[in-house]
Amino acid sequence: MERHIPTERPERVIDAHLHFQPKNPHFDAIARTAGHENTAAHLERAYLENAVEHGVVMGNRELVKAWREYPPTLSFCAGVHQHALEPENREAALEACESQLSNPQCVGIKLYAGYCAVPLMDGAYIPYYELAERYGKPVAVHMGVTASPRALLKYCHPLLIDEAATRFPRVRFVMCHFGNPWLMDAAAVLEKNDNVAADLSGLLSGRVDLDEYRVRLGGYMDQLRTWVAYVERYDAFMFGTDWPLVNLSEYIAFICELVPREHWDDVFYGNARRVYLSAG
Ligand SMILES: [Zn+2]
């Protein structure tokens, strides 16, 4: 079927949320479903075709490994896995995180709330907020529904960011996926806390025919548009793809429909530049 891609597109884009794991069969399959290939060369080409100048990898690898493989078009957040939160591993994991934060390609810390069954205000996380404050780099937190049925939703409800953001007012938090589908709660947290931003990644998956999607899920799109607009802070939303989850070109068109034209340059580019690439 001919897919409807509007001609007007953002002039420059930063992808504030992707996963970069070439040679991983699971990610290979997800990429193919989205009409992509899970390789560095293909990502580079897809970025070029869609005016994506830079990407921020949500460091889904161990704290100590892998970042050396990232091409210069990518920065990354140091990922804090369940393993790092176990009492016997905490000290070494914190040290590893700190050494990553002193690397200029490391632009923040990523927490996998929900995938990790640890409350955000647990003592295991507090040193990471202190580190983020010391290094002036943001803490991105998975929020909203998870890709794995083994994860626990009670640890990734957007309301949980409120307390962390309030106790650590000098830390910038990024609520990944705008807490989808808890949009109303997510909007309340963003409205109240100036130090919380949100990325608009992962709001759908695979390919999308927008004409068909508008008919089938127009109500969902209205909800997204409504709660993004309600926050009245277009400086707080960032475009992200959750690569390789979606087709890049189609997802850009989807987000264009949720954000008024006059805010595209902030949402697609300027906010991510400020939050991730000007920190430190
Ligand atoms: Zn993600």
Side-chain angles (χ1 to χ4, degrees), residues 118-155:
V118 177
L120 278 187
M121 287 310 293
D122 189 276
Y125 279 134
I126 302 299
Y128 288 99
Y129 306 144
E130 292 167 350
L131 263 187
E133 182 167 346
R134 189 138 34 93
Y135 281 83
K137 293 183 178 179
V139 177
V141 189
H142 173 87
M143 282 283 132
V145 75
T146 54
S148 161
R150 290 185 302 278
L152 288 170
L153 295 175
K154 71 171 178 176
Y155 295 108

Side-chain angles (χ1 to χ4, degrees), residues 17-19 58 110 142 176-177 201 242:
H17 185 137
L18 78 142
H19 300 275
M58 285 294 139
K110 171 73 190 282
H142 173 87
C176 298
H177 321 301
S201 70
D242 226 350

Side-chain angles (χ1 to χ4, degrees), residues 19 21-39 42 205-207 242-247:
H19 300 275
Q21 291 203 43
K23 302 192 185 93
N24 174 320
H26 174 64
F27 279 70
D28 290 351
I30 294 173
R32 278 194 297 273
T33 304
H36 288 302
E37 285 166 49
N38 182 32
T39 64
H42 181 92
S205 65
R207 307 288 316 249
D242 226 350
W243 168 277
L245 187 68
V246 291
N247 182 274

